[in-house]
Amino acid sequence: MHKNYTDKNILHVKDGDVEYIQFKILNKYGLKHCITLRYGGVSSGIYDSLNFGLKGNDLKENVFENLNRVSKSLNIDPQNVYKATQNHTDNILVLNSENKEEYKFDVGDKIDENYDAYIVKEKDIATLVTTADCNPIIVFDPVNNIVANIHSGWKGTTKKIYLKTCEKMIKEFGSNPSDLIVCIGPSIRKCCFSSEEQEFKNIFTNIWKNENEYITYEKNSNRFHIDLIYLIKNDLEGIGIKNIVVADICTVCNSDDFFSYRVARKNNQEGYGLMATIVIL
Protein backbone atom coordinates (compact mmCIF):
# COMPACT_ATOMS: atom_id res chain seq x y z
CA MET A 1 0.00 0.00 0.00
CA HIS A 2 1.43 3.36 -0.99
CA LYS A 3 1.24 6.55 1.02
CA ASN A 4 -1.82 8.56 1.84
CA TYR A 5 -0.92 12.23 1.43
CA THR A 6 -3.90 13.74 3.25
CA ASP A 7 -2.79 16.37 5.77
CA LYS A 8 -4.02 19.72 7.10
CA ASN A 9 -3.77 21.32 3.63
CA ILE A 10 -4.50 18.58 1.12
CA LEU A 11 -6.92 15.74 0.57
CA HIS A 12 -5.77 12.52 -1.10
CA VAL A 13 -8.73 11.29 -3.14
CA LYS A 14 -9.04 7.64 -4.22
CA ASP A 15 -11.95 7.18 -6.61
CA GLY A 16 -11.83 3.58 -7.73
CA ASP A 17 -8.30 3.18 -9.10
CA VAL A 18 -7.87 6.87 -9.95
CA GLU A 19 -5.97 8.96 -7.39
CA TYR A 20 -5.34 12.67 -7.07
CA ILE A 21 -4.84 15.34 -4.47
CA GLN A 22 -6.98 18.39 -3.84
CA PHE A 23 -6.47 21.48 -1.71
CA LYS A 24 -8.90 21.65 1.18
CA ILE A 25 -9.16 25.45 0.95
CA LEU A 26 -10.22 25.25 -2.72
CA ASN A 27 -12.74 22.52 -1.89
CA LYS A 28 -14.19 24.87 0.70
CA TYR A 29 -15.07 27.27 -2.12
CA GLY A 30 -16.38 24.47 -4.34
CA LEU A 31 -13.62 24.86 -6.95
CA LYS A 32 -13.25 21.66 -8.98
CA HIS A 33 -9.58 20.77 -9.30
CA CYS A 34 -7.07 17.97 -8.99
CA ILE A 35 -3.38 17.12 -9.24
CA THR A 36 -3.04 13.52 -10.33
CA LEU A 37 -0.90 10.76 -8.91
CA ARG A 38 0.39 7.95 -11.13
CA TYR A 39 -2.42 5.50 -10.44
CA GLY A 40 -5.64 4.50 -12.14
CA GLY A 41 -4.79 5.00 -15.81
CA VAL A 42 -4.25 2.66 -18.75
CA SER A 43 -0.73 3.65 -19.81
CA SER A 44 2.05 1.08 -19.39
CA GLY A 45 5.81 0.79 -19.05
CA ILE A 46 7.55 4.02 -18.05
CA TYR A 47 4.20 5.80 -18.41
CA ASP A 48 2.47 3.54 -15.88
CA SER A 49 -0.29 4.42 -15.52
CA LEU A 50 -2.10 7.79 -15.35
CA ASN A 51 0.02 9.66 -17.91
CA PHE A 52 -1.08 12.94 -19.54
CA GLY A 53 1.84 13.52 -21.91
CA LEU A 54 0.79 13.68 -25.56
CA LYS A 55 4.32 14.40 -26.82
CA GLY A 56 5.99 11.20 -25.58
CA ASN A 57 5.75 7.66 -26.94
CA ASP A 58 2.65 6.71 -25.01
CA LEU A 59 -0.36 5.87 -27.16
CA LYS A 60 -2.63 8.89 -27.65
CA GLU A 61 -5.70 6.76 -26.96
CA ASN A 62 -4.21 5.84 -23.57
CA VAL A 63 -3.80 9.50 -22.65
CA PHE A 64 -7.35 10.31 -23.77
CA GLU A 65 -8.70 7.42 -21.71
CA ASN A 66 -6.69 8.68 -18.72
CA LEU A 67 -8.32 12.10 -19.18
CA ASN A 68 -11.74 10.47 -19.45
CA ARG A 69 -11.23 8.66 -16.16
CA VAL A 70 -10.16 11.75 -14.24
CA SER A 71 -12.87 13.87 -15.87
CA LYS A 72 -15.48 11.35 -14.80
CA SER A 73 -14.20 11.48 -11.23
CA LEU A 74 -14.36 15.29 -11.22
CA ASN A 75 -17.75 15.21 -12.97
CA ILE A 76 -16.58 17.37 -15.87
CA ASP A 77 -16.84 16.88 -19.63
CA PRO A 78 -13.45 15.88 -21.11
CA GLN A 79 -14.45 17.88 -24.20
CA ASN A 80 -14.24 20.99 -22.00
CA VAL A 81 -10.56 20.45 -21.13
CA TYR A 82 -8.06 22.79 -22.79
CA LYS A 83 -4.27 22.94 -23.01
CA ALA A 84 -1.73 24.77 -25.16
CA THR A 85 1.87 23.72 -25.77
CA GLN A 86 4.02 24.23 -22.66
CA ASN A 87 7.61 25.33 -23.14
CA HIS A 88 8.88 26.93 -19.91
CA THR A 89 7.80 30.39 -21.08
CA ASP A 90 6.23 33.26 -19.16
CA ASN A 91 3.37 33.48 -21.67
CA ILE A 92 -0.12 33.70 -20.16
CA LEU A 93 -3.25 32.72 -22.09
CA VAL A 94 -6.59 34.25 -21.14
CA LEU A 95 -8.90 31.43 -22.16
CA ASN A 96 -12.54 32.16 -22.94
CA SER A 97 -15.47 30.98 -25.05
CA GLU A 98 -14.14 32.89 -28.09
CA ASN A 99 -10.69 31.30 -28.31
CA LYS A 100 -11.03 28.02 -26.40
CA GLU A 101 -11.75 25.65 -29.30
CA GLU A 102 -8.27 25.93 -30.79
CA TYR A 103 -6.80 24.79 -27.46
CA LYS A 104 -8.85 21.63 -26.95
CA PHE A 105 -6.72 19.05 -25.12
CA ASP A 106 -6.41 16.83 -28.18
CA VAL A 107 -5.34 19.64 -30.55
CA GLY A 108 -3.79 22.40 -28.43
CA ASP A 109 -0.36 20.77 -28.38
CA LYS A 110 -0.16 21.08 -32.16
CA ILE A 111 -0.20 24.89 -32.10
CA ASP A 112 3.09 26.75 -32.47
CA GLU A 113 2.34 29.28 -29.73
CA ASN A 114 3.51 28.33 -26.24
CA TYR A 115 1.68 29.13 -23.03
CA ASP A 116 2.55 28.06 -19.50
CA ALA A 117 -0.24 29.78 -17.60
CA TYR A 118 -3.97 30.24 -18.08
CA ILE A 119 -6.45 32.70 -16.62
CA VAL A 120 -10.16 31.83 -16.82
CA LYS A 121 -13.21 33.74 -15.59
CA GLU A 122 -15.91 31.77 -17.41
CA LYS A 123 -17.52 28.59 -16.14
CA ASP A 124 -17.07 25.17 -17.75
CA ILE A 125 -13.63 25.88 -19.22
CA ALA A 126 -11.16 23.44 -17.67
CA THR A 127 -7.43 24.10 -18.09
CA LEU A 128 -4.84 21.35 -17.85
CA VAL A 129 -1.18 21.82 -16.96
CA THR A 130 1.29 18.91 -17.06
CA THR A 131 4.24 18.51 -14.70
CA ALA A 132 6.93 16.02 -13.68
CA ASP A 133 8.98 17.90 -11.01
CA CYS A 134 7.91 21.41 -12.08
CA ASN A 135 5.61 23.43 -9.82
CA PRO A 136 1.90 23.25 -10.60
CA ILE A 137 0.31 26.40 -9.17
CA ILE A 138 -3.40 27.19 -8.88
CA VAL A 139 -4.42 30.78 -8.11
CA PHE A 140 -8.04 31.42 -7.15
CA ASP A 141 -9.87 34.69 -6.60
CA PRO A 142 -13.03 33.67 -4.71
CA VAL A 143 -14.42 37.21 -4.72
CA ASN A 144 -14.38 37.71 -8.51
CA ASN A 145 -14.50 33.96 -9.29
CA ILE A 146 -11.37 33.91 -11.46
CA VAL A 147 -8.85 31.09 -11.58
CA ALA A 148 -5.33 30.66 -12.95
CA ASN A 149 -3.46 27.41 -13.67
CA ILE A 150 0.33 27.75 -13.91
CA HIS A 151 3.29 25.58 -14.93
CA SER A 152 6.41 26.94 -13.21
CA GLY A 153 9.55 24.82 -13.46
CA TRP A 154 12.89 26.32 -12.56
CA LYS A 155 13.02 28.16 -15.89
CA GLY A 156 9.50 29.50 -15.48
CA THR A 157 10.35 30.44 -11.91
CA THR A 158 13.36 32.49 -13.03
CA LYS A 159 10.97 34.23 -15.48
CA LYS A 160 8.55 34.73 -12.55
CA ILE A 161 5.54 33.40 -14.44
CA TYR A 162 3.66 32.92 -11.16
CA LEU A 163 4.17 36.58 -10.26
CA LYS A 164 3.26 37.85 -13.74
CA THR A 165 0.08 35.78 -13.72
CA CYS A 166 -1.01 37.14 -10.34
CA GLU A 167 -0.13 40.69 -11.40
CA LYS A 168 -2.25 40.25 -14.53
CA MET A 169 -5.18 39.07 -12.39
CA ILE A 170 -4.74 42.15 -10.20
CA LYS A 171 -4.25 44.75 -12.95
CA GLU A 172 -6.54 43.43 -15.69
CA PHE A 173 -9.19 41.48 -13.78
CA GLY A 174 -9.50 43.57 -10.62
CA SER A 175 -8.32 40.94 -8.16
CA ASN A 176 -7.24 42.13 -4.74
CA PRO A 177 -3.93 40.53 -3.66
CA SER A 178 -5.31 39.88 -0.18
CA ASP A 179 -8.19 37.84 -1.70
CA LEU A 180 -6.00 35.58 -3.84
CA ILE A 181 -5.46 31.98 -2.74
CA VAL A 182 -2.28 30.40 -4.15
CA CYS A 183 -1.88 26.63 -3.99
CA ILE A 184 1.43 25.01 -4.97
CA GLY A 185 1.29 21.30 -5.77
CA PRO A 186 3.85 18.49 -5.56
CA SER A 187 7.19 19.29 -7.21
CA ILE A 188 10.94 18.85 -6.82
CA ARG A 189 11.91 20.38 -3.50
CA LYS A 190 15.07 21.78 -1.98
CA CYS A 191 16.11 18.33 -0.76
CA CYS A 192 16.52 17.15 -4.37
CA PHE A 193 16.95 20.32 -6.44
CA SER A 194 20.73 20.51 -6.33
CA SER A 195 23.78 21.12 -8.49
CA GLU A 196 27.50 21.77 -8.33
CA GLU A 197 27.62 24.11 -11.31
CA GLN A 198 28.42 27.70 -10.33
CA GLU A 199 26.96 28.98 -13.61
CA PHE A 200 23.64 27.37 -12.74
CA LYS A 201 23.69 28.99 -9.32
CA ASN A 202 24.42 32.36 -10.94
CA ILE A 203 21.16 32.17 -12.91
CA PHE A 204 19.37 32.47 -9.57
CA THR A 205 21.70 34.79 -7.70
CA ASN A 206 21.57 37.29 -10.57
CA ILE A 207 17.81 37.56 -9.94
CA TRP A 208 17.50 37.01 -6.19
CA LYS A 209 20.39 38.56 -4.26
CA ASN A 210 19.58 37.12 -0.81
CA GLU A 211 21.19 33.77 -1.64
CA ASN A 212 21.79 32.71 1.98
CA GLU A 213 17.99 32.62 2.40
CA TYR A 214 17.31 30.06 -0.35
CA ILE A 215 20.62 28.31 -1.14
CA THR A 216 22.38 25.89 1.19
CA TYR A 217 25.60 23.94 0.63
CA GLU A 218 26.18 20.35 1.62
CA LYS A 219 28.85 19.94 4.28
CA ASN A 220 32.39 19.76 2.85
CA SER A 221 30.98 19.82 -0.68
CA ASN A 222 30.49 22.10 -3.68
CA ARG A 223 26.93 20.79 -4.06
CA PHE A 224 24.24 23.33 -3.26
CA HIS A 225 20.46 23.10 -2.93
CA ILE A 226 17.98 25.72 -4.14
CA ASP A 227 14.60 26.31 -2.51
CA LEU A 228 12.23 27.24 -5.35
CA ILE A 229 9.21 27.27 -3.04
CA TYR A 230 10.84 29.92 -0.88
CA LEU A 231 11.48 32.11 -3.93
CA ILE A 232 7.92 31.77 -5.21
CA LYS A 233 6.34 32.44 -1.82
CA ASN A 234 8.64 35.37 -1.09
CA ASP A 235 7.87 37.05 -4.43
CA LEU A 236 4.12 36.58 -4.01
CA GLU A 237 4.15 37.85 -0.44
CA GLY A 238 6.01 40.88 -1.79
CA ILE A 239 2.92 41.97 -3.76
CA GLY A 240 0.56 41.44 -0.83
CA ILE A 241 -0.56 37.83 -1.30
CA LYS A 242 -0.89 36.28 2.14
CA ASN A 243 -2.82 33.08 1.52
CA ILE A 244 -0.27 30.62 0.09
CA VAL A 245 -0.72 26.88 0.63
CA VAL A 246 1.99 24.36 -0.29
CA ALA A 247 1.53 20.62 -0.69
CA ASP A 248 4.38 19.14 1.35
CA ILE A 249 5.39 16.59 -1.31
CA CYS A 250 8.67 16.23 -3.22
CA THR A 251 8.07 14.43 -6.53
CA VAL A 252 11.64 13.09 -6.62
CA CYS A 253 11.45 11.61 -3.12
CA ASN A 254 8.01 10.18 -3.95
CA SER A 255 8.56 9.14 -7.56
CA ASP A 256 6.67 5.86 -7.03
CA ASP A 257 3.53 7.96 -6.61
CA PHE A 258 4.31 10.99 -8.81
CA PHE A 259 6.05 11.29 -12.17
CA SER A 260 9.57 12.74 -11.95
CA TYR A 261 11.71 13.92 -14.84
CA ARG A 262 14.84 13.86 -12.70
CA VAL A 263 14.30 10.27 -11.58
CA ALA A 264 13.56 9.17 -15.16
CA ARG A 265 16.79 10.79 -16.33
CA LYS A 266 18.76 9.21 -13.49
CA ASN A 267 17.36 5.80 -14.55
CA ASN A 268 18.29 6.48 -18.20
CA GLN A 269 14.67 6.17 -19.30
CA GLU A 270 13.88 7.23 -22.86
CA GLY A 271 10.86 9.20 -21.68
CA TYR A 272 8.75 9.99 -18.66
CA GLY A 273 5.11 10.35 -17.71
CA LEU A 274 3.34 13.58 -16.82
CA MET A 275 0.89 14.43 -14.06
CA ALA A 276 -2.09 16.69 -14.74
CA THR A 277 -3.30 19.70 -12.79
CA ILE A 278 -6.88 20.38 -13.85
CA VAL A 279 -9.02 23.28 -12.64
CA ILE A 280 -12.48 24.49 -13.67
CA LEU A 281 -14.83 27.17 -12.36
Side-chain angles (χ1 to χ4, degrees):
M1 189 68 182
H2 50 273
K3 286 184 194 173
N4 186 313
Y5 291 93
T6 296
D7 62 17
K8 65 179 176 24
N9 292 323
I10 62 173
L11 183 68
H12 184 160
V13 177
K14 298 183 181 185
D15 184 6
D17 293 328
V18 170
E19 298 188 32
Y20 48 83
I21 65 163
Q22 294 179 322
F23 288 93
K24 291 180 178 178
I25 190 167
L26 299 181
N27 284 345
K28 192 177 88 174
Y29 288 101
L31 184 71
K32 284 185 183 178
H33 70 288
C34 73
I35 303 174
T36 58
L37 275 77
R38 297 183 63 154
Y39 308 108
V42 296
S43 302
S44 59
I46 58 172
Y47 303 107
D48 182 42
S49 69
L50 196 60
N51 170 47
F52 286 86
L54 284 169
K55 290 278 178 75
N57 292 321
D58 194 5
L59 296 172
K60 298 278 194 292
E61 53 261 39
N62 287 348
V63 178
F64 295 142
E65 175 57 23
N66 293 341
L67 177 62
N68 287 339
R69 292 184 176 200
V70 173
S71 298
K72 184 180 179 184
S73 180
L74 290 175
N75 195 25
I76 63 175
D77 185 344
Q79 293 300 312
N80 292 341
V81 178
Y82 304 91
K83 180 188 182 299
T85 306
Q86 292 176 199
N87 199 22
H88 303 283
T89 68
D90 58 358
N91 298 336
I92 304 160
L93 176 64
V94 178
L95 201 60
N96 55 44
S97 50
E98 291 178 9
N99 66 357
K100 66 180 185 179
E101 290 309 310
E102 60 186 297
Y103 299 103
K104 265 192 175 322
F105 180 71
D106 56 348
V107 294
D109 262 346
K110 299 185 182 80
I111 295 173
D112 289 336
E113 307 158 36
N114 299 315
Y115 293 99
D116 288 83
Y118 308 91
I119 297 174
V120 179
K121 64 173 186 174
E122 295 178 27
K123 290 181 178 176
D124 298 326
I125 297 177
T127 57
L128 189 152
V129 159
T130 52
T131 55
D133 289 341
C134 295
N135 293 291
I137 304 173
I138 299 170
V139 184
F140 182 50
D141 176 350
V143 175
N144 293 301
N145 202 36
I146 302 165
V147 71
N149 197 0
I150 306 166
H151 162 247
S152 185
W154 73 261
K155 290 177 185 173
T157 299
T158 60
K159 293 171 185 172
K160 303 200 177 193
I161 186 170
Y162 52 90
L163 192 64
K164 291 171 181 174
T165 304
C166 290
E167 286 173 340
K168 193 174 180 76
M169 292 174 75
I170 293 161
K171 288 171 186 167
E172 296 181 24
F173 292 86
S175 293
N176 187 321
S178 61
D179 293 330
L180 292 179
I181 300 165
V182 178
C183 296
I184 305 173
S187 60
I188 188 171
R189 296 298 157 89
K190 186 180 183 181
C191 50
C192 296
F193 189 56
S194 65
S195 175
E196 294 183 356
E197 296 173 24
Q198 190 66 36
E199 286 179 13
F200 185 67
K201 181 185 150 185
N202 292 344
I203 294 170
F204 294 87
T205 55
N206 287 339
I207 301 166
W208 296 277
K209 306 302 180 191
N210 52 331
E211 65 176 273
N212 61 325
E213 291 178 25
Y214 65 91
I215 295 177
T216 53
Y217 277 86
E218 292 181 11
K219 196 174 180 183
N220 304 321
S221 171
N222 291 323
R223 180 162 290 278
F224 55 86
H225 294 250
I226 298 176
D227 191 344
L228 293 175
I229 299 295
Y230 175 88
L231 295 174
I232 293 168
K233 283 183 71 176
N234 206 41
D235 282 346
L236 293 173
E237 287 166 355
I239 62 166
I241 297 174
K242 301 179 180 71
N243 207 341
I244 303 170
V245 180
V246 181
D248 188 22
I249 302 168
C250 175
T251 46
V252 177
C253 291
N254 297 283
S255 61
D256 287 348
D257 295 331
F258 298 90
F259 290 114
S260 168
Y261 165 76
R262 186 163 283 215
V263 171
R265 199 176 63 178
K266 185 179 167 189
N267 293 338
N268 296 314
Q269 287 176 202
E270 287 186 11
Y272 54 96
L274 292 170
M275 294 138 41
T277 299
I278 302 172
V279 63
I280 184 170
L281 291 172

